[in-house]
Amino acid sequence: TRHVWEEYKEKVRLNRLSLSGKMLYKFRKEKVERSFADSKELHGLRYCRLRGLPNASEQVLLTAACQNMKKIATHLAKLG
């Protein structure tokens, strides 16, 4: 028997291995992975300052919100 998600996992795998999927996957390290690295290096997510899952989640969400605001401000500054 197959798991309920197996069909969807196969579709995702085939999409990733297609020509367009391979091209998009190259940009992952530039966009997604870089964002996590910046969070750890520049915004203090390497170590959690607070105890407990709710507090840690709050720290991560605030860090992500700050990164998004920083991205928006940079984009608006480029537009003039």
Side-chain angles (χ1 to χ4, degrees):
T1 61
R2 288 168 47 106
H3 194 272
V4 179
W5 296 340
E6 285 300 319
E7 180 183 344
Y8 300 108
K9 287 169 55 175
E10 285 176 4
K11 286 182 182 179
V12 168
R13 184 178 161 274
L14 289 175
N15 186 27
R16 183 179 51 89
L17 295 177
S18 70
L19 185 60
S20 62
K22 287 180 182 180
M23 290 176 62
L24 285 173
Y25 200 74
K26 287 180 184 177
F27 293 112
R28 176 187 168 104
K29 65 181 173 229
E30 296 174 14
K31 296 290 181 184
V32 177
E33 301 296 333
R34 187 73 242 157
S35 178
F36 284 112
D38 285 344
S39 296
K40 289 171 71 175
E41 291 294 320
L42 304 175
H43 301 289
L45 275 188
R46 187 169 298 280
Y47 305 105
C48 189
R49 292 184 185 93
L50 307 169
R51 289 182 172 257
L53 187 59
N55 290 334
S57 295
E58 184 177 328
Q59 179 183 351
V60 171
L61 289 173
L62 284 172
T63 301
C66 290
Q67 280 186 296
N68 288 337
M69 287 189 284
K70 184 174 152 184
K71 236 182 232 185
I72 291 169
T74 305
H75 182 69
L76 290 175
K78 286 181 184 177
L79 292 178

